[in-house]
Amino acid sequence: MKVAIFADIAVDALAGQASGRGGGHAATWLPQLADRFEALEHPFEITWIRTKARRGSDEDVRIGRQRFITLAGFNARIDFLMANLWAAKRFRRVIAELEPDLVHAWGTEKPFGVVPGIFEGPSLLSVQGCLTAFSKVAKLPLHLRVASRLEPLRVRSATRITCESSWSAEQVVKLGVKTMPDVVDYGAHPKFLEAEWTPDPEKPVLLFSGGLERRKGFDLLIDALQLIPDRKWELRVLGDGPLRAEGEAAGLPGITWLGTLPWSRTIPEMKKAWGLVVPTRADTGPTVVKEARVMGLPVIASNHGGLRDYILDGVNGLKVDPLDAPQLASAMTRLMGDFEQVQRLGMSRLQKDRERFDPTLTARSFLRIYGEMLAPSAT
């Protein structure tokens, strides 16, 4: 049985070579999914189709049992302004060549979201970002505003949908989908599972990792820091975005701006941090929370995303509710003033979190769904 997966996978990130954020890809859960597909026994012939912006020849390589096709010269921003008409044309050609029994498309914020609507057989759509929900808390770039308007059509065209969290599934249901989405957690990369958390009790460091934007709550973080000018701990910021200039202009002491880092530099930063702060206003995951938890970092989290289910207040982190600057400042002060609490929260539920975010579970879940969709009774 042939499965064609349309996704933004980084081929050079397979087999333990993942470079992570800053390495040319954002879908950091996909390399380990492909690796697990390779390791597990299953009856499916899997072909991945991705796109790249650079001009040149298309690429077609085989790594182990899986095939990876790269379509070159693909401008996703322009394509969305064309309502994905160009993507549909190119994807139809690939589908005609492969003749898959099932298509699996990843992301309504990517042109791949058009695939279920152009394929006549069973289609699976995995939601990566809930653009309709995101647009309610922050202004999106023009092409993503267009994508958000197309999102209801994209999700309704799919035979079946998966989301990485119950929060994400709730947002998708509001769009009038045919069936209730399946919740499939995206596993953390083994590099994070293998890392040892070693915070220094004499060097209190809190980490923020993500886009420096309103949706991620970075403005709230800056406002909260202004409420605790006499803090004795350091905030280290991993990531870039439109609010970086505003954050630097605030002139707050004790902030180190690291920019976007590859995993080879991100993991050492996480290993020495006391905790991670994630004041997001809307997020299907986020992945960095899973990476933090499989390592052992406690997380200061909001309830506005999948992380509401990952972090239990007073158990493996602290919840900020309601999400505002005073509440966030209070949570950071409580965590960063008590190293014993840091260790207790970090170790609590660690084994359960490591099991929950094991990428093997993600792969098994998708293989099960493929089998259910291709079973004779499903056709």
Side-chain angles (χ1 to χ4, degrees):
M1 292 180 284
K2 298 179 180 179
V3 177
I5 305 178
F6 291 75
D8 191 20
I9 188 170
V11 177
D12 58 358
L14 300 177
Q17 300 302 311
S19 55
R21 300 168 188 82
H25 66 287
T28 54
W29 52 89
L30 291 176
Q32 55 266 33
L33 178 60
D35 282 340
R36 291 302 188 266
F37 280 162
E38 186 67 23
L40 295 171
E41 291 298 324
H42 58 79
F44 305 109
E45 180 182 330
I46 295 178
T47 299
W48 295 77
I49 300 92
R50 67 166 187 165
T51 62
K52 68 176 183 180
R54 294 192 304 274
R55 294 185 178 277
S57 301
D58 293 349
E59 301 169 3
D60 189 340
V61 300
R62 184 169 289 276
I63 302 176
R65 293 180 291 158
Q66 298 174 83
R67 182 180 175 189
F68 297 84
I69 296 173
T70 302
L71 305 179
F74 207 100
N75 191 315
R77 288 177 171 80
I78 293 177
D79 182 67
F80 268 117
L81 299 180
M82 299 171 59
N84 300 133
L85 293 176
W86 187 46
K89 181 178 180 180
R90 297 196 70 179
F91 293 157
R92 280 194 179 96
R93 292 176 184 170
V94 176
I95 290 171
E97 176 213 330
L98 296 176
E99 297 184 332
D101 300 295
L102 168 71
V103 295
H104 182 182
W106 283 78
T108 55
E109 79 283 16
K110 300 289 183 178
F112 309 125
V114 76
V115 171
I118 64 174
F119 183 64
E120 295 181 357
S123 59
L124 178 65
L125 174 64
S126 289
V127 174
Q128 297 180 158
C130 299
L131 298 179
T132 306
F134 292 177
S135 66
K136 295 176 181 178
V137 301
K139 185 177 180 179
L140 302 176
L142 177 59
H143 72 287
L144 291 183
R145 294 202 296 273
V146 175
S148 70
R149 290 195 288 271
L150 293 171
E151 188 172 57
L153 173 64
R154 301 294 181 242
V155 297
R156 292 171 192 162
S157 67
T159 307
R160 196 160 167 177
I161 296 170
T162 71
C163 298
E164 69 171 309
S165 65
S166 60
W167 181 91
S168 177
E170 290 166 7
Q171 312 313 309
V172 171
V173 166
K174 296 174 184 177
L175 302 179
V177 294
K178 299 175 183 177
T179 59
M180 184 68 184
D182 294 88
V183 175
V184 179
D185 277 319
Y186 304 159
H189 194 274
K191 286 181 179 289
F192 294 89
L193 286 156
E194 295 162 2
E196 181 182 2
W197 182 47
T198 55
D200 186 341
E202 302 300 322
K203 296 181 179 180
V205 172
L206 184 63
L207 201 66
F208 174 91
S209 179
L212 310 189
E213 56 182 278
R214 189 178 188 279
R215 181 174 67 85
K216 294 287 187 177
F218 190 71
D219 57 317
L220 283 176
L221 180 57
I222 295 300
D223 290 344
L225 291 172
Q226 292 177 326
L227 298 177
I228 41 178
D230 57 346
R231 60 188 169 86
K232 306 299 182 184
W233 46 270
E234 178 188 8
L235 176 73
R236 296 178 72 82
V237 178
L238 277 69
D240 278 306
L243 294 183
R244 175 165 179 169
E246 181 179 322
E248 290 179 321
L252 295 172
I255 300 180
T256 302
W257 304 88
L258 298 170
T260 303
L261 302 179
W263 279 344
S264 60
R265 293 182 58 196
T266 296
I267 291 175
E269 292 291 337
M270 295 179 72
K271 288 172 64 174
K272 66 185 181 183
W274 281 26
L276 176 75
V277 58
V278 188
T280 186
R281 288 185 172 94
D283 215 315
T284 56
T287 302
V288 68
V289 172
K290 304 173 186 181
E291 294 165 347
R293 284 309 304 145
V294 301
M295 289 179 63
L297 280 75
V299 179
I300 298 173
S302 77
N303 279 323
H304 304 292
L307 70 171
R308 74 176 186 196
D309 299 325
Y310 311 150
I311 304 303
L312 303 179
D313 188 41
V315 179
N316 58 357
L318 300 176
K319 285 286 185 64
V320 180
D321 188 27
L323 181 59
D324 57 31
Q327 295 289 335
L328 180 56
S330 175
M332 291 190 293
T333 299
R334 280 186 286 141
L335 181 70
M336 299 306 291
D338 187 346
F339 185 69
E340 289 186 4
Q341 177 185 218
V342 166
Q343 291 181 301
R344 177 179 60 80
L345 295 176
M347 292 297 101
S348 178
R349 289 183 58 91
L350 178 58
Q351 188 55 40
K352 290 183 179 180
D353 287 340
R354 290 172 66 86
E355 292 170 358
R356 178 175 186 172
F357 302 129
D358 185 331
T360 300
L361 296 181
T362 310
R364 290 190 186 279
S365 294
F366 281 118
L367 293 174
R368 172 183 56 79
I369 291 171
Y370 295 164
E372 292 172 356
M373 294 181 69
L374 291 173
S377 60
T379 59

